[in-house]
Amino acid sequence: MNRKLFTLFIASIVILAGGCASKKYAKKGMKFEQAGLWQQATDAYFRSLMAKRDNIDAIIGLKRAGQHVLDEQSLEVIKAYENDDLKGTVYKYIDAEDLKNKASAFGVELSISNIATDYYKDAKPKYIEKIYSEAQRYMDEERFKEAEQLLSEIKRLQPDYGNVKDMLKVSKCEPLYREAKEFMSASLYRKAYNNLDKIIREYNNYKDARELRDEALEQATITIKVSNFKTGSRNAQNITKSVQAEVTSSLNELKTPFIKVIDTENTDKIIEEQHRSISTGSELEIGKLLSAKAILNGEVSILELKPGRLKKTRKKGYLREETKVKDPKTGDTKINVSYKKVYYYEYSQSNSVTIALKYQLTSTETGAVLVTDYVRSNQSDFIEYATFDGPKDKLVPGYWEKIDVKTEKDVINDNTPDVRRLQEKLNARREITSIASLMSKAINEVGVSVANKIGSYNPED
């Protein structure tokens, strides 16, 4: 079947399924109508039309049942208005209007009572004016949360009413702004930043929120100088540098504004020029000189590379041969199965890499250890496959002692599980992941682990 025919086939199935569903819901709607359950009938007709928009029975049913529901909703609007329930008048009318619009989308026109419409038009401005006055009172009393709820409601009902836009901005921003100021006073700069950032992302700016956010970020950011990682092995110098580079890269990729790695390429020259003037030559003093708030030290404590050799084993098996034989008496064709002793080969190999890193992030201001941990990555790969010079699909596992003599110890494992396992080996992957690739994965895992641990450190917790 070509693609065009297949597409038409699928489309026809979808249409048939939709038609069946549409009929089913239309019948349900009729039963609900007979029971006087107008709302349930209306819902069923909607579902019928969603499955098939041109279902005539559903269209007629929706016109009938939907209008009945809408008449009941119109009465509820009138009752609410006569009971001086402005809010009920407004929202019951909105519900009725939603039903009318939903039906209209399917080509079914329903009508709302003119009296209900007139009452809604009279109640809506009165209700908005009432809650607007309440919102203003809440704002004067600095009850911002209550004010925000009312102002949000007015915005939904009439977005351009009065000074709603500006009042809503103040009701949302002012609590965040005040709390941020308190956080700043308590040196909780990350919390202050988060509050101020919410304000700026939603409203671009509010008072001096942008300036305060920048100040909070500067105070909250941990600037890190990554020192040269150490190792106890001379052969691991290059790998240690790679680990350090990966840690630095992972720190730079953290999705947090509070971690910043100092550019070592530019700072190395400063260190060389200033090192003579630093009496002790300690890394903490160098860190202070570079405006680093923390120094990251690391040591590659374990480095194991285990490249495995490819092991080759000669295995004994059987070549399954089938021949068709015709019975001279009956004329029936039979299949005779015979087994020929053969050799095939199995191969296996494993490679593994292990890297372990001890690291410590130390404050240059107090000398306190901020983060310390030990991270280890083990990466390995193993392959096992088989080869056979003859037809692979006819190879059967087993055992034999002599290739040209049948003995009692000969075993033919021509069963599904054993044959499947052998076929899997014959078709298995033959390229093993190199030590270099495993090394790259291990270094990456170490770098990401260190960065995530430092990134999750919060001095304010």
Side-chain angles (χ1 to χ4, degrees):
M1 185 181 293
N2 63 37
R3 181 174 295 180
K4 186 175 181 180
L5 288 175
F6 179 75
T7 302
L8 290 171
F9 174 70
I10 294 298
S12 64
I13 291 175
V14 172
I15 291 169
L16 287 171
C20 292
S22 182
K23 289 179 181 178
K24 181 181 75 172
Y25 286 117
K27 288 180 180 179
K28 281 188 176 183
M30 292 176 188
K31 288 182 180 180
F32 283 132
E33 272 195 80
Q34 292 169 2
L37 301 173
W38 302 103
Q39 183 62 61
Q40 290 88 333
T42 300
D43 293 339
Y45 289 133
F46 272 128
R47 296 192 70 174
S48 175
L49 290 172
M50 281 189 281
K52 190 171 184 288
R53 295 181 66 92
D54 59 352
N55 186 320
I56 299 300
D57 292 335
I59 291 172
I60 295 171
L62 179 58
K63 176 70 175 177
R64 188 171 53 240
Q67 187 60 59
H68 199 286
V69 172
L70 201 55
D71 289 342
E72 290 178 349
Q73 290 180 331
S74 294
L75 285 175
E76 289 179 5
V77 173
I78 293 168
K79 287 177 183 178
Y81 183 84
E82 290 176 346
N83 290 327
D84 294 325
D85 181 3
L86 296 176
K87 182 175 183 178
T89 303
V90 170
Y91 282 100
K92 288 180 186 299
Y93 186 87
I94 289 174
D95 289 341
E97 202 168 41
D98 286 343
L99 174 58
K100 181 179 183 297
N101 293 335
K102 186 176 179 182
S104 180
F106 289 99
V108 177
E109 296 303 324
L110 306 177
S111 59
I112 301 174
S113 162
N114 290 334
I115 297 174
T117 302
D118 291 340
Y119 284 172
Y120 166 72
K121 289 179 179 178
D122 183 64
K124 180 179 176 182
K126 291 178 181 178
Y127 177 64
I128 292 175
E129 183 180 358
K130 177 187 173 184
I131 61 175
Y132 185 74
S133 297
E134 289 179 14
Q136 286 179 317
R137 177 168 58 83
Y138 285 144
M139 292 291 288
D140 293 339
E141 295 172 1
E142 297 187 351
R143 295 164 62 181
F144 298 111
K145 194 66 180 175
E146 293 96 324
E148 181 188 341
Q149 291 175 350
L150 292 177
L151 292 165
S152 297
E153 184 179 0
I154 295 169
K155 186 180 179 182
R156 289 194 300 271
L157 294 172
Q158 189 173 331
D160 59 347
Y161 187 85
N163 200 28
V164 166
K165 185 177 180 181
D166 291 335
M167 289 172 66
L168 190 57
K169 178 178 180 179
V170 173
S171 69
K172 287 185 175 182
C173 294
E174 188 62 24
L176 290 170
Y177 179 83
R178 292 185 182 185
E179 190 178 45
K181 295 276 282 187
E182 291 174 4
F183 286 147
M184 294 281 283
S185 298
S187 299
L188 298 175
Y189 297 110
R190 291 193 177 196
K191 291 181 178 179
Y193 173 87
N194 289 332
N195 272 23
L196 296 164
D197 192 55
K198 285 180 185 177
I199 292 172
I200 291 165
R201 279 189 286 109
E202 186 168 357
Y203 288 102
N204 190 35
N205 205 2
Y206 177 75
K207 294 184 176 179
D208 59 342
R210 191 174 294 277
E211 291 76 12
L212 284 176
R213 186 189 67 168
D214 293 343
E215 181 184 344
L217 178 59
E218 183 179 355
Q219 294 293 334
T221 300
I222 300 176
T223 49
I224 299 174
K225 169 66 174 74
V226 181
S227 293
N228 291 329
F229 286 3
K230 299 177 181 178
T231 180
S233 172
R234 291 182 179 179
N235 297 329
Q237 295 291 339
N238 290 334
I239 294 173
T240 301
K241 289 180 180 178
S242 297
V243 172
Q244 179 183 333
E246 187 63 36
V247 169
T248 303
S249 175
S250 297
L251 284 170
N252 283 323
E253 291 174 4
L254 283 174
K255 294 181 179 179
T256 172
F258 304 122
I259 299 295
K260 184 178 180 182
V261 178
I262 293 176
D263 185 0
T264 55
E265 291 184 5
N266 293 329
T267 58
D268 284 344
K269 293 182 180 179
I270 300 175
I271 293 174
E272 291 175 6
E273 294 174 1
Q274 299 294 332
H275 195 278
R276 299 187 189 92
S277 63
I278 300 175
S279 58
T280 63
S282 71
E283 289 191 66
L284 293 181
E285 291 189 30
I286 293 172
K288 290 178 183 178
L289 178 68
L290 299 171
S291 299
K293 293 183 181 178
I295 296 290
L296 178 62
N297 292 298
E299 180 181 355
V300 176
S301 57
I302 296 177
L303 177 61
E304 296 177 355
L305 311 180
K306 294 181 178 179
R309 284 188 173 184
L310 184 64
K311 297 178 182 179
K312 178 179 180 181
T313 305
R314 189 169 74 165
K315 304 287 287 186
K316 297 174 180 179
Y318 294 86
L319 185 64
R320 190 177 194 272
E321 296 178 332
E322 298 179 357
T323 55
K324 293 181 179 180
V325 179
K326 191 171 184 179
D327 191 316
K329 294 181 179 180
T330 64
D332 295 336
T333 300
K334 296 182 179 179
I335 297 176
N336 288 339
V337 179
S338 61
Y339 296 92
K340 178 183 178 182
K341 296 176 181 179
V342 293
Y343 288 108
Y344 67 95
Y345 293 90
E346 285 191 358
Y347 299 82
S348 65
Q349 185 180 2
S350 64
N351 283 345
S352 68
V353 169
T354 300
I355 295 177
L357 175 71
K358 295 187 293 185
Y359 66 93
Q360 181 172 294
L361 186 69
T362 308
S363 170
T364 60
E365 298 168 345
T366 64
V369 176
L370 307 179
V371 180
T372 184
D373 202 2
Y374 172 87
V375 59
R376 180 186 180 116
S377 177
N378 300 299
Q379 301 292 330
S380 62
D381 190 26
F382 175 75
I383 57 170
E384 186 177 33
Y385 63 91
T387 62
F388 178 56
D389 289 338
K392 294 192 298 183
D393 58 330
K394 295 181 180 180
L395 184 64
V396 175
Y399 174 78
W400 46 263
E401 283 192 337
K402 298 180 180 179
I403 195 168
D404 53 355
V405 178
K406 187 175 182 180
T407 69
E408 292 182 355
K409 293 184 179 181
D410 292 352
V411 177
I412 302 172
N413 295 324
D414 193 2
N415 58 79
T416 301
D418 288 337
V419 171
R420 182 189 300 117
R421 280 191 289 270
L422 178 55
Q423 289 299 318
E424 287 173 352
K425 288 182 181 180
L426 288 165
N427 294 292
R429 172 173 61 97
R430 301 186 182 188
E431 292 294 327
I432 193 167
T433 305
S434 67
I435 289 293
S437 295
L438 294 174
M439 177 66 69
S440 179
K441 290 181 180 180
I443 291 173
N444 178 260
E445 186 175 58
V446 168
V448 170
S449 177
V450 173
N452 288 341
K453 184 69 177 286
I454 293 175
S456 65
Y457 168 71
N458 186 350
E460 297 174 12
D461 288 342

Short mmCIF file of all heavy atoms in Angstrom, two decimals, residues 61-109:
data_model
loop_
_atom_site.label_atom_id
_atom_site.label_comp_id
_atom_site.label_asym_id
_atom_site.label_seq_id
_atom_site.Cartn_x
_atom_site.Cartn_y
_atom_site.Cartn_z
N GLY A 61 -30.84 18.74 18.43
CA GLY A 61 -30.94 18.49 19.86
C GLY A 61 -30.32 19.58 20.69
O GLY A 61 -30.86 19.99 21.73
N LEU A 62 -29.16 20.07 20.24
CA LEU A 62 -28.50 21.16 20.97
C LEU A 62 -29.35 22.43 20.93
O LEU A 62 -29.43 23.16 21.93
CB LEU A 62 -27.11 21.43 20.38
CG LEU A 62 -26.32 22.55 21.03
CD1 LEU A 62 -26.10 22.29 22.52
CD2 LEU A 62 -24.96 22.74 20.33
N LYS A 63 -29.95 22.70 19.80
CA LYS A 63 -30.82 23.87 19.69
C LYS A 63 -31.96 23.79 20.70
O LYS A 63 -32.31 24.77 21.37
CB LYS A 63 -31.37 23.95 18.26
CG LYS A 63 -32.37 25.07 18.01
CD LYS A 63 -31.71 26.43 18.02
CE LYS A 63 -32.69 27.52 17.65
NZ LYS A 63 -32.09 28.86 17.72
N ARG A 64 -32.48 22.59 20.85
CA ARG A 64 -33.64 22.37 21.73
C ARG A 64 -33.22 22.36 23.20
O ARG A 64 -33.72 23.14 24.02
CB ARG A 64 -34.29 21.06 21.33
CG ARG A 64 -35.60 20.74 21.99
CD ARG A 64 -36.23 19.52 21.33
NE ARG A 64 -35.32 18.38 21.30
CZ ARG A 64 -34.91 17.79 20.18
NH1 ARG A 64 -35.29 18.23 19.00
NH2 ARG A 64 -34.10 16.75 20.24
N ALA A 65 -32.27 21.50 23.54
CA ALA A 65 -31.86 21.35 24.94
C ALA A 65 -31.07 22.57 25.41
O ALA A 65 -31.22 23.04 26.54
CB ALA A 65 -31.02 20.09 25.11
N GLY A 66 -30.19 23.07 24.52
CA GLY A 66 -29.37 24.23 24.90
C GLY A 66 -30.21 25.45 25.20
O GLY A 66 -29.94 26.20 26.15
N GLN A 67 -31.26 25.68 24.41
CA GLN A 67 -32.13 26.83 24.66
C GLN A 67 -32.87 26.67 25.98
O GLN A 67 -33.07 27.65 26.71
CB GLN A 67 -33.11 27.00 23.51
CG GLN A 67 -33.94 28.27 23.60
CD GLN A 67 -33.07 29.52 23.58
OE1 GLN A 67 -32.32 29.75 22.63
NE2 GLN A 67 -33.14 30.33 24.64
N HIS A 68 -33.24 25.43 26.29
CA HIS A 68 -33.91 25.18 27.57
C HIS A 68 -32.99 25.53 28.74
O HIS A 68 -33.42 26.18 29.71
CB HIS A 68 -34.33 23.70 27.64
CG HIS A 68 -35.40 23.43 28.66
ND1 HIS A 68 -35.17 23.43 30.01
CD2 HIS A 68 -36.73 23.17 28.51
CE1 HIS A 68 -36.28 23.16 30.66
NE2 HIS A 68 -37.26 23.00 29.77
N VAL A 69 -31.73 25.11 28.66
CA VAL A 69 -30.75 25.44 29.71
C VAL A 69 -30.54 26.94 29.78
O VAL A 69 -30.47 27.53 30.87
CB VAL A 69 -29.42 24.71 29.44
CG1 VAL A 69 -28.33 25.19 30.42
CG2 VAL A 69 -29.59 23.20 29.56
N LEU A 70 -30.43 27.57 28.63
CA LEU A 70 -30.17 29.01 28.59
C LEU A 70 -31.35 29.79 29.18
O LEU A 70 -31.16 30.82 29.85
CB LEU A 70 -29.89 29.45 27.15
CG LEU A 70 -29.12 30.75 26.97
CD1 LEU A 70 -27.81 30.73 27.72
CD2 LEU A 70 -28.86 31.00 25.49
N ASP A 71 -32.56 29.31 28.95
CA ASP A 71 -33.73 29.96 29.55
C ASP A 71 -33.69 29.87 31.07
O ASP A 71 -34.02 30.84 31.78
CB ASP A 71 -35.02 29.30 29.03
CG ASP A 71 -35.28 29.63 27.56
OD1 ASP A 71 -34.69 30.60 27.06
OD2 ASP A 71 -36.08 28.90 26.93
N GLU A 72 -33.25 28.71 31.57
CA GLU A 72 -33.13 28.55 33.02
C GLU A 72 -32.05 29.48 33.57
O GLU A 72 -32.21 30.08 34.65
CB GLU A 72 -32.80 27.09 33.34
CG GLU A 72 -33.94 26.13 33.08
CD GLU A 72 -33.56 24.69 33.38
OE1 GLU A 72 -32.35 24.42 33.58
OE2 GLU A 72 -34.46 23.82 33.42
N GLN A 73 -30.96 29.61 32.84
CA GLN A 73 -29.88 30.51 33.29
C GLN A 73 -30.34 31.96 33.25
O GLN A 73 -29.96 32.76 34.12
CB GLN A 73 -28.63 30.31 32.41
CG GLN A 73 -27.96 28.96 32.64
CD GLN A 73 -26.73 28.77 31.75
OE1 GLN A 73 -26.66 29.32 30.65
NE2 GLN A 73 -25.77 27.99 32.23
N SER A 74 -31.14 32.32 32.28
CA SER A 74 -31.68 33.68 32.20
C SER A 74 -32.55 33.97 33.42
O SER A 74 -32.49 35.07 34.01
CB SER A 74 -32.50 33.87 30.92
OG SER A 74 -31.68 33.78 29.78
N LEU A 75 -33.35 32.99 33.83
CA LEU A 75 -34.17 33.16 35.02
C LEU A 75 -33.31 33.34 36.27
O LEU A 75 -33.66 34.13 37.16
CB LEU A 75 -35.09 31.93 35.19
CG LEU A 75 -36.28 31.84 34.24
CD1 LEU A 75 -37.03 30.52 34.44
CD2 LEU A 75 -37.24 33.02 34.45
N GLU A 76 -32.21 32.62 36.34
CA GLU A 76 -31.30 32.76 37.49
C GLU A 76 -30.70 34.17 37.54
O GLU A 76 -30.51 34.75 38.61
CB GLU A 76 -30.18 31.71 37.41
CG GLU A 76 -30.67 30.30 37.66
CD GLU A 76 -29.55 29.28 37.56
OE1 GLU A 76 -28.38 29.71 37.38
OE2 GLU A 76 -29.83 28.06 37.64
N VAL A 77 -30.39 34.73 36.37
CA VAL A 77 -29.87 36.10 36.31
C VAL A 77 -30.93 37.08 36.84
O VAL A 77 -30.62 37.97 37.66
CB VAL A 77 -29.47 36.47 34.86
CG1 VAL A 77 -29.09 37.95 34.77
CG2 VAL A 77 -28.32 35.60 34.37
N ILE A 78 -32.15 36.90 36.41
CA ILE A 78 -33.24 37.79 36.83
C ILE A 78 -33.47 37.68 38.34
O ILE A 78 -33.63 38.70 39.02
CB ILE A 78 -34.53 37.44 36.05
CG1 ILE A 78 -34.34 37.76 34.56
CG2 ILE A 78 -35.74 38.19 36.61
CD1 ILE A 78 -35.43 37.21 33.66
N LYS A 79 -33.47 36.46 38.87
CA LYS A 79 -33.67 36.26 40.30
C LYS A 79 -32.56 36.92 41.10
O LYS A 79 -32.80 37.55 42.14
CB LYS A 79 -33.74 34.78 40.63
CG LYS A 79 -35.02 34.10 40.18
CD LYS A 79 -34.96 32.60 40.49
CE LYS A 79 -36.21 31.90 39.99
NZ LYS A 79 -36.15 30.43 40.24
N ALA A 80 -31.32 36.76 40.65
CA ALA A 80 -30.18 37.35 41.35
C ALA A 80 -30.31 38.87 41.38
O ALA A 80 -30.06 39.51 42.42
CB ALA A 80 -28.88 36.94 40.68
N TYR A 81 -30.69 39.46 40.28
CA TYR A 81 -30.83 40.92 40.20
C TYR A 81 -31.94 41.40 41.14
O TYR A 81 -31.77 42.40 41.85
CB TYR A 81 -31.12 41.34 38.77
CG TYR A 81 -31.22 42.83 38.57
CD1 TYR A 81 -30.07 43.59 38.38
CD2 TYR A 81 -32.45 43.47 38.58
CE1 TYR A 81 -30.14 44.96 38.21
CE2 TYR A 81 -32.54 44.84 38.40
CZ TYR A 81 -31.37 45.59 38.22
OH TYR A 81 -31.46 46.96 38.06
N GLU A 82 -33.07 40.70 41.14
CA GLU A 82 -34.19 41.10 41.98
C GLU A 82 -33.88 40.93 43.47
O GLU A 82 -34.51 41.56 44.32
CB GLU A 82 -35.43 40.29 41.60
CG GLU A 82 -35.97 40.68 40.21
CD GLU A 82 -37.14 39.80 39.77
OE1 GLU A 82 -37.35 38.73 40.40
OE2 GLU A 82 -37.80 40.16 38.78
N ASN A 83 -32.90 40.08 43.79
CA ASN A 83 -32.46 39.90 45.18
C ASN A 83 -31.27 40.79 45.53
O ASN A 83 -30.61 40.58 46.55
CB ASN A 83 -32.10 38.44 45.43
CG ASN A 83 -33.29 37.53 45.41
OD1 ASN A 83 -34.39 37.93 45.83
ND2 ASN A 83 -33.11 36.31 44.92
N ASP A 84 -30.99 41.78 44.67
CA ASP A 84 -29.88 42.73 44.87
C ASP A 84 -28.52 42.02 44.94
O ASP A 84 -27.59 42.50 45.61
CB ASP A 84 -30.10 43.56 46.15
CG ASP A 84 -31.31 44.48 46.02
OD1 ASP A 84 -31.55 44.97 44.90
OD2 ASP A 84 -32.01 44.69 47.03
N ASP A 85 -28.41 40.89 44.28
CA ASP A 85 -27.14 40.14 44.23
C ASP A 85 -26.41 40.54 42.95
O ASP A 85 -26.56 39.90 41.91
CB ASP A 85 -27.42 38.63 44.26
CG ASP A 85 -26.15 37.80 44.23
OD1 ASP A 85 -25.05 38.37 44.25
OD2 ASP A 85 -26.27 36.55 44.17
N LEU A 86 -25.63 41.61 43.06
CA LEU A 86 -24.94 42.13 41.87
C LEU A 86 -23.93 41.13 41.32
O LEU A 86 -23.84 40.90 40.12
CB LEU A 86 -24.25 43.45 42.21
CG LEU A 86 -25.15 44.62 42.60
CD1 LEU A 86 -24.30 45.83 43.00
CD2 LEU A 86 -26.08 44.99 41.44
N LYS A 87 -23.16 40.54 42.23
CA LYS A 87 -22.14 39.58 41.78
C LYS A 87 -22.80 38.38 41.10
O LYS A 87 -22.34 37.93 40.04
CB LYS A 87 -21.31 39.12 42.97
CG LYS A 87 -20.19 38.16 42.59
CD LYS A 87 -19.30 37.82 43.78
CE LYS A 87 -18.14 36.92 43.36
NZ LYS A 87 -17.25 36.62 44.52
N GLY A 88 -23.86 37.85 41.73
CA GLY A 88 -24.56 36.71 41.12
C GLY A 88 -25.14 37.05 39.77
O GLY A 88 -25.08 36.25 38.83
N THR A 89 -25.67 38.26 39.63
CA THR A 89 -26.23 38.71 38.35
C THR A 89 -25.15 38.68 37.27
O THR A 89 -25.37 38.18 36.15
CB THR A 89 -26.81 40.12 38.47
OG1 THR A 89 -27.79 40.15 39.51
CG2 THR A 89 -27.44 40.57 37.16
N VAL A 90 -24.00 39.25 37.60
CA VAL A 90 -22.90 39.35 36.63
C VAL A 90 -22.40 37.97 36.22
O VAL A 90 -22.29 37.66 35.01
CB VAL A 90 -21.75 40.20 37.21
CG1 VAL A 90 -20.52 40.11 36.30
CG2 VAL A 90 -22.19 41.65 37.37
N TYR A 91 -22.09 37.12 37.18
CA TYR A 91 -21.44 35.86 36.84
C TYR A 91 -22.41 34.83 36.29
O TYR A 91 -22.03 33.99 35.46
CB TYR A 91 -20.69 35.31 38.06
CG TYR A 91 -19.37 36.05 38.25
CD1 TYR A 91 -19.26 37.06 39.19
CD2 TYR A 91 -18.28 35.76 37.45
CE1 TYR A 91 -18.07 37.76 39.34
CE2 TYR A 91 -17.09 36.45 37.59
CZ TYR A 91 -16.98 37.45 38.54
OH TYR A 91 -15.80 38.14 38.68
N LYS A 92 -23.66 34.88 36.70
CA LYS A 92 -24.65 33.97 36.10
C LYS A 92 -24.90 34.35 34.64
O LYS A 92 -25.10 33.48 33.78
CB LYS A 92 -25.95 34.00 36.90
CG LYS A 92 -25.85 33.31 38.27
CD LYS A 92 -27.14 33.38 39.02
CE LYS A 92 -26.98 32.82 40.44
NZ LYS A 92 -26.56 31.41 40.44
N TYR A 93 -24.86 35.64 34.36
CA TYR A 93 -25.03 36.08 32.97
C TYR A 93 -23.81 35.67 32.13
O TYR A 93 -23.95 35.25 30.97
CB TYR A 93 -25.22 37.59 32.88
CG TYR A 93 -25.54 38.07 31.48
CD1 TYR A 93 -26.85 38.09 31.02
CD2 TYR A 93 -24.53 38.45 30.59
CE1 TYR A 93 -27.16 38.49 29.73
CE2 TYR A 93 -24.82 38.84 29.30
CZ TYR A 93 -26.14 38.87 28.88
OH TYR A 93 -26.43 39.26 27.60
N ILE A 94 -22.64 35.78 32.72
CA ILE A 94 -21.42 35.37 32.00
C ILE A 94 -21.48 33.88 31.67
O ILE A 94 -21.09 33.46 30.57
CB ILE A 94 -20.16 35.70 32.83
CG1 ILE A 94 -19.95 37.23 32.87
CG2 ILE A 94 -18.93 35.01 32.26
CD1 ILE A 94 -18.83 37.68 33.78
N ASP A 95 -21.99 33.06 32.62
CA ASP A 95 -22.16 31.63 32.35
C ASP A 95 -23.11 31.41 31.17
O ASP A 95 -22.85 30.56 30.29
CB ASP A 95 -22.70 30.92 33.59
CG ASP A 95 -21.67 30.83 34.70
OD1 ASP A 95 -20.47 30.98 34.40
OD2 ASP A 95 -22.07 30.63 35.86
N ALA A 96 -24.21 32.17 31.17
CA ALA A 96 -25.18 32.04 30.08
C ALA A 96 -24.56 32.45 28.75
O ALA A 96 -24.76 31.80 27.71
CB ALA A 96 -26.41 32.90 30.38
N GLU A 97 -23.76 33.51 28.76
CA GLU A 97 -23.11 33.99 27.55
C GLU A 97 -22.08 32.98 27.04
O GLU A 97 -21.92 32.80 25.83
CB GLU A 97 -22.45 35.34 27.84
CG GLU A 97 -22.19 36.19 26.60
CD GLU A 97 -21.82 37.60 26.94
OE1 GLU A 97 -21.04 37.80 27.90
OE2 GLU A 97 -22.30 38.52 26.26
N ASP A 98 -21.41 32.32 27.97
CA ASP A 98 -20.44 31.29 27.57
C ASP A 98 -21.13 30.15 26.83
O ASP A 98 -20.63 29.65 25.82
CB ASP A 98 -19.71 30.75 28.81
CG ASP A 98 -18.70 31.74 29.36
OD1 ASP A 98 -18.33 32.69 28.64
OD2 ASP A 98 -18.29 31.58 30.53
N LEU A 99 -22.31 29.73 27.34
CA LEU A 99 -23.05 28.67 26.68
C LEU A 99 -23.51 29.11 25.30
O LEU A 99 -23.40 28.36 24.32
CB LEU A 99 -24.27 28.28 27.53
CG LEU A 99 -25.24 27.26 26.91
CD1 LEU A 99 -24.51 25.96 26.56
CD2 LEU A 99 -26.42 26.99 27.83
N LYS A 100 -23.98 30.33 25.20
CA LYS A 100 -24.44 30.87 23.91
C LYS A 100 -23.30 30.88 22.89
O LYS A 100 -23.46 30.47 21.74
CB LYS A 100 -24.97 32.29 24.11
CG LYS A 100 -25.51 32.95 22.84
CD LYS A 100 -26.04 34.34 23.17
CE LYS A 100 -26.66 35.00 21.93
NZ LYS A 100 -25.69 35.22 20.85
N ASN A 101 -22.12 31.34 23.31
CA ASN A 101 -20.96 31.41 22.42
C ASN A 101 -20.46 30.03 22.02
O ASN A 101 -20.03 29.81 20.89
CB ASN A 101 -19.84 32.21 23.08
CG ASN A 101 -20.20 33.68 23.24
OD1 ASN A 101 -21.03 34.21 22.50
ND2 ASN A 101 -19.59 34.34 24.21
N LYS A 102 -20.50 29.09 22.98
CA LYS A 102 -20.05 27.72 22.69
C LYS A 102 -20.94 27.08 21.64
O LYS A 102 -20.45 26.42 20.71
CB LYS A 102 -20.05 26.90 23.98
CG LYS A 102 -19.46 25.51 23.83
CD LYS A 102 -19.42 24.79 25.17
CE LYS A 102 -18.86 23.38 25.01
NZ LYS A 102 -18.86 22.65 26.31
N ALA A 103 -22.25 27.29 21.77
CA ALA A 103 -23.18 26.73 20.79
C ALA A 103 -23.00 27.39 19.44
O ALA A 103 -23.07 26.74 18.38
CB ALA A 103 -24.62 26.91 21.29
N SER A 104 -22.75 28.70 19.45
CA SER A 104 -22.57 29.44 18.20
C SER A 104 -21.38 28.92 17.41
O SER A 104 -21.38 28.93 16.18
CB SER A 104 -22.39 30.93 18.51
OG SER A 104 -22.22 31.67 17.33
N ALA A 105 -20.35 28.45 18.13
CA ALA A 105 -19.16 27.91 17.46
C ALA A 105 -19.50 26.67 16.63
O ALA A 105 -18.77 26.33 15.69
CB ALA A 105 -18.09 27.57 18.49
N PHE A 106 -20.62 26.00 16.95
CA PHE A 106 -21.06 24.83 16.19
C PHE A 106 -22.22 25.18 15.25
O PHE A 106 -22.90 24.29 14.73
CB PHE A 106 -21.49 23.71 17.14
CG PHE A 106 -20.34 23.06 17.86
CD1 PHE A 106 -20.02 23.42 19.16
CD2 PHE A 106 -19.55 22.12 17.23
CE1 PHE A 106 -18.97 22.84 19.83
CE2 PHE A 106 -18.49 21.52 17.89
CZ PHE A 106 -18.18 21.89 19.20
N GLY A 107 -22.46 26.49 15.08
CA GLY A 107 -23.51 26.92 14.16
C GLY A 107 -24.90 26.88 14.74
O GLY A 107 -25.89 26.95 13.99
N VAL A 108 -25.01 26.77 16.06
CA VAL A 108 -26.31 26.72 16.73
C VAL A 108 -26.52 28.04 17.46
O VAL A 108 -25.76 28.37 18.38
CB VAL A 108 -26.41 25.55 17.72
CG1 VAL A 108 -27.75 25.56 18.45
CG2 VAL A 108 -26.20 24.22 16.98
N GLU A 109 -27.52 28.79 17.04
CA GLU A 109 -27.76 30.11 17.64
C GLU A 109 -28.82 30.00 18.74
O GLU A 109 -29.95 29.58 18.51
CB GLU A 109 -28.22 31.10 16.57
CG GLU A 109 -27.18 31.37 15.50
CD GLU A 109 -25.87 31.89 16.05
OE1 GLU A 109 -25.91 32.66 17.04
OE2 GLU A 109 -24.81 31.52 15.50
#
